Amino acid sequence: MKSSFRSVVRGVAISSALGAALVLGQAGIAHAATPEVFKLCSGGNFDSFATFTERGGFSTFVVRRGTCQSFKYGGTHAERVDLKVANTGKYIGSLAYDGRVGANVRTVNDPSFTF
């Protein structure tokens, strides 16, 4: 339990440090996360994908810019997810995904994030 809590706190701290590169939404009715669902929206001018590092590098398929895709990946604890630009594999950032809660993630353009 302590270990999971630290993972969640570390994941939130990491994703908070990303600034505008990612927007996590779990509040409000329209943006409520669904348990067992990881939703990725490519809101920037690039295609993106997510890699689940604790699942041996298992990844989502590419989500085209301007679109969203939901993945029913389940999960029973907080785990690290890395977000990357599809064409280059460039690292965008990381977050903690907990399948018991689900997550909504949106990538966006950021002046500090260059291609």
Side-chain angles (χ1 to χ4, degrees), residues 59-109:
S59 297
T60 67
F61 58 81
V62 172
V63 177
R64 300 287 176 209
R65 65 182 176 186
T67 66
C68 297
Q69 184 65 47
S70 294
F71 304 92
K72 188 162 180 150
Y73 286 160
T76 59
H77 65 281
E79 59 184 298
R80 179 181 168 159
V81 177
D82 293 336
L83 297 167
K84 298 180 180 180
V85 175
N87 299 9
T88 64
K90 184 173 182 174
Y91 175 78
I92 299 171
S94 298
L95 63 125
Y97 162 74
D98 189 330
R100 296 170 294 187
V101 178
N104 294 334
V105 182
R106 176 179 296 275
T107 60
V108 297
N109 292 330

Side-chain angles (χ1 to χ4, degrees), residues 13-81:
I14 290 169
S15 57
S16 296
L18 295 175
L22 301 175
V23 177
L24 301 175
Q26 293 188 354
I29 295 171
H31 299 288
T34 303
E36 299 187 356
V37 174
F38 180 82
K39 182 177 180 180
L40 175 59
C41 296
S42 291
N45 62 356
F46 52 90
D47 302 337
S48 61
F49 68 97
T51 301
F52 289 70
T53 59
E54 292 182 23
R55 299 184 188 197
F58 175 78
S59 297
T60 67
F61 58 81
V62 172
V63 177
R64 300 287 176 209
R65 65 182 176 186
T67 66
C68 297
Q69 184 65 47
S70 294
F71 304 92
K72 188 162 180 150
Y73 286 160
T76 59
H77 65 281
E79 59 184 298
R80 179 181 168 159
V81 177

